[in-house]
């Protein structure tokens, strides 16, 4: 079999047709196509207000800024995430405070959050890792007891739910990514959703330099002098990105079903592979299946990734524990051992190919290769000399 890439998008004629409409019009930047996407995505989420943005990172940053979280403030989050979760907090001027994760899922351990709350804490930023939602009722309860806001990082979790709770339902704001490998993709892009109309207005202002009017307003209504009424950023989504996203909303359900089917094939072939563990799936939950991740024990993760590469199979790491990345270690003095569950998972993680265009044959080939590699590594370990203590 030919190589299996880590990811392939399924964009095609529907996206080309929507893009052609944008290219035939005068507005390529934020305009009516973005507005249509915001409305339709809000309908899907059952959340009143959606603001299209250039990235999930920008959404997290703007949420913090619009909620007036900044210098001297602390935001509780997880070390098992992409680094942008933490850097968005720092870009707002606040300090990330990490809490270790559940050992069997990688999600932030809600039972540890309250102990991390201080007089400087202003927000909790949970991350729904791999596509599984955190314990949002518990997190919301902690936030309410201490007067904190909740900003969800749902970059992996568009389709997820847990106990009937969906992303954004128990949060002040929820942030999404439309990066190249996401279930909704425009190559780059993101969105913020909120039930708070005032917060949505502030985000719309801040996403485009704090300007009182944007280019679409002037094209529609004729030129009027505009003003800058707040310090903003360049985080707006454009019509080209929105055109790519709109047709994919119709495929969210079928594509999610297909990823679940593929995950089931992986589970059947890998659940008993030696030296390999699968993250737990919560009961009464709908896993978004953004990633199919396995955990390799015995310090063999990098060896197996290289072996997969040699077999022509794309694999990656989502994620290494971010408190041990050089910048965060130097800035905050983190050292190994601080968050042992996150560190163990970060040293063990491999994400395998999972996307709707992946065939059953390809999935079985990846799983079969992974299984053989695990047995080979296990056999080598069993054959290694052992030092037996005389005590």
């Amino acid at each position: 079999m030919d190589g299996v890439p880590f990811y392939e998008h399924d964009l095609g004629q529907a996206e080309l047709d929507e893009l052609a409409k944008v290219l035939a019009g005068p507005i390529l930047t934020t305009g009516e196509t973005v507005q249509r996407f915001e409305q339709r995505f809000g309908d899907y989420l059952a959340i009143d207000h959606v603001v299209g943005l250039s990235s999930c990172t920008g959404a997290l940053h703007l949420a913090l800024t619009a909620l007036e979280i900044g210098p001297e403030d602390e935001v509780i989050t997880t070390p098992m995430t992409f680094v942008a979760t933490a850097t968005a907090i720092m870009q707002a001027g606040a300090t990330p405070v990490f809490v270790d994760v559940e050992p069997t899922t990688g999600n932030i351990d809600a039972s540890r959050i309250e102990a991390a709350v201080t007089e400087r804490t202003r927000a909790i930023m949970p991350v729904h890792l791999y596509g599984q939602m955190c314990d949002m009722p518990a997190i919301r309860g902690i936030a309410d007891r201490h007067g904190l806001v909740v900003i969800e990082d749902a970059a992996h979790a568009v389709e997820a739910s847990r106990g009937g709770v969906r992303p954004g339902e128990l949060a002040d704001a929820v942030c999404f990514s439309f990066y190249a490998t996401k279930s909704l993709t425009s190559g780059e892009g993101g969105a913020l959703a909120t039930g708070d109309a005032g917060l949505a207005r502030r985000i719309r202002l801040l996403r485009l330099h704090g300007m009182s009017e944007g280019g679409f307003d002037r094209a529609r209504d004729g030129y009027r002098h505009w003003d800058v009424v707040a310090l903003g950023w360049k985080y707006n989504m454009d019509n080209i990105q929105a055109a790519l996203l709109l047709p994919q909303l119709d495929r969210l359900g079928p594509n999610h079903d297909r990823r679940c089917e593929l995950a089931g094939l992986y589970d059947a072939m890998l659940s008993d592979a030696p030296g390999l563990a699968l993250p737990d799936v919560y009961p009464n939950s709908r896993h978004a299946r953004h990633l199919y991740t396995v955990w390799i024990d015995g310090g063999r993760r990098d060896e197996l990734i290289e072996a997969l590469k040699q077999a022509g199979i794309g694999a990656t790491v989502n994620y290494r524990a971010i408190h041990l990345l050089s910048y965060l270690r130097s800035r905050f003095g983190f050292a190994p051992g601080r968050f042992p569950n996150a560190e163990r998972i970060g040293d063990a993680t491999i994400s395998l190919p999972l996307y709707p265009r992946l065939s059953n044959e390809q999935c079985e080939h990846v799983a079969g290769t992974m299984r053989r590699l695990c047995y080979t590594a296990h056999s080598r370990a069993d054959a290694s000399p052992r030092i037996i203590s005389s005590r």
Side-chain angles (χ1 to χ4, degrees):
M1 172 177 287
D2 293 335
V4 181
F6 177 68
Y7 179 79
E8 286 185 334
H9 68 74
D10 69 339
L11 277 61
Q13 192 59 51
E15 287 75 25
L16 289 171
D17 291 344
E18 196 68 45
L19 184 58
K21 296 176 188 175
V22 170
L23 297 181
I27 303 295
L28 298 182
T29 186
T30 308
E32 185 270 337
T33 310
V34 173
Q35 292 176 347
R36 282 198 293 130
F37 170 74
E38 291 171 339
Q39 180 62 53
R40 287 197 56 200
F41 192 44
D43 291 344
Y44 174 83
L45 297 169
I47 298 177
D48 288 339
H49 309 285
V50 169
V51 184
L53 298 164
S54 57
S55 67
C56 185
T57 309
L60 294 168
H61 181 200
L62 289 190
L64 292 161
T65 301
L67 289 165
E68 299 183 337
I69 296 169
E72 307 303 322
D73 296 331
E74 295 177 346
V75 178
I76 294 172
T77 191
T78 168
M80 182 45 51
T81 181
F82 183 57
V83 69
T85 308
T87 56
I89 295 168
M90 289 184 274
Q91 287 160 357
T95 300
V97 173
F98 295 125
V99 167
D100 208 358
V101 299
E102 298 169 340
T104 62
T105 67
N107 269 342
I108 191 169
D109 188 339
S111 70
R112 298 172 183 258
I113 291 176
E114 201 146 21
V117 175
T118 73
E119 62 182 14
R120 293 175 56 191
T121 307
R122 291 286 312 284
I124 307 171
M125 188 177 284
V127 177
H128 305 314
L129 189 68
Y130 309 148
Q132 282 211 101
M133 287 191 65
C134 302
D135 187 346
M136 290 308 301
I139 291 170
R140 182 74 260 176
I142 294 166
D144 289 345
R145 284 195 295 277
H146 294 276
L148 310 177
V149 300
V150 177
I151 301 167
E152 290 177 66
D153 182 336
H156 292 182
V158 169
E159 307 94 338
S161 66
R162 181 177 174 187
V165 175
R166 298 177 65 191
E169 190 171 336
L170 297 180
D172 297 88
V174 57
C175 302
F176 298 94
S177 171
F178 307 134
Y179 178 67
T181 58
K182 297 298 190 286
S183 58
L184 274 175
T185 179
S186 48
E188 301 285 354
L192 179 146
T194 180
D196 183 334
L199 177 59
R201 282 194 298 272
R202 292 195 293 278
I203 297 293
R204 291 186 191 282
L205 180 70
L206 295 174
R207 73 174 171 179
L208 193 58
H209 305 294
M211 293 171 61
S212 57
E213 288 192 346
F216 176 58
D217 301 313
R218 296 192 297 276
R220 180 191 58 209
D221 302 331
Y223 183 83
R224 294 190 299 239
H225 291 306
W226 49 266
D227 196 5
V228 170
V229 297
L231 177 62
W233 288 265
K234 184 74 167 102
Y235 282 151
N236 56 308
M237 175 181 285
D238 61 46
N239 279 353
I240 295 170
Q241 292 170 315
L244 294 175
L245 292 166
L246 276 165
Q248 295 175 68
L249 292 172
D250 297 325
R251 301 197 300 276
L252 269 178
N255 281 355
H256 177 250
D257 291 343
R258 176 58 182 160
R259 294 197 309 277
C260 289
E261 180 182 359
L262 291 165
L265 290 176
Y266 275 135
D267 285 348
M269 294 186 68
L270 294 175
S271 59
D272 63 348
L276 181 151
L278 301 177
D280 283 353
V281 176
Y282 299 119
N284 196 26
S285 69
R286 185 173 191 244
H287 197 308
R289 290 297 182 187
H290 168 57
L291 294 171
Y292 189 88
T293 297
V294 301
W295 296 337
I296 303 298
D297 68 11
R300 302 187 182 95
R301 188 268 306 280
D302 292 354
E303 167 192 334
L304 293 188
I305 284 186
E306 180 60 28
L308 289 169
K309 176 183 175 183
Q310 294 303 316
I313 293 170
T316 191
V317 173
N318 303 101
Y319 300 98
R320 295 162 59 202
I322 63 171
H323 68 286
L324 297 181
L325 298 177
S326 295
Y327 179 75
L328 294 179
R329 290 181 71 161
S330 65
R331 179 160 175 174
F332 298 110
F334 292 123
R338 183 75 176 273
F339 306 107
N341 291 335
E343 291 168 31
R344 177 187 56 80
I345 292 170
D347 290 342
T349 294
I350 299 178
S351 295
L352 300 177
L354 184 71
Y355 42 89
R357 290 183 61 183
L358 190 72
S359 69
N360 286 15
E361 182 184 20
Q362 289 174 309
C363 181
E364 290 165 357
H365 171 64
V366 173
T369 303
M370 186 81 244
R371 186 179 176 88
R372 286 193 300 275
L373 292 170
C374 287
Y375 272 100
T376 299
H378 186 67
S379 298
R380 271 204 313 273
D382 283 348
S384 299
R386 287 176 170 78
I387 299 174
I388 300 175
S389 173
S390 61
R391 288 184 296 171

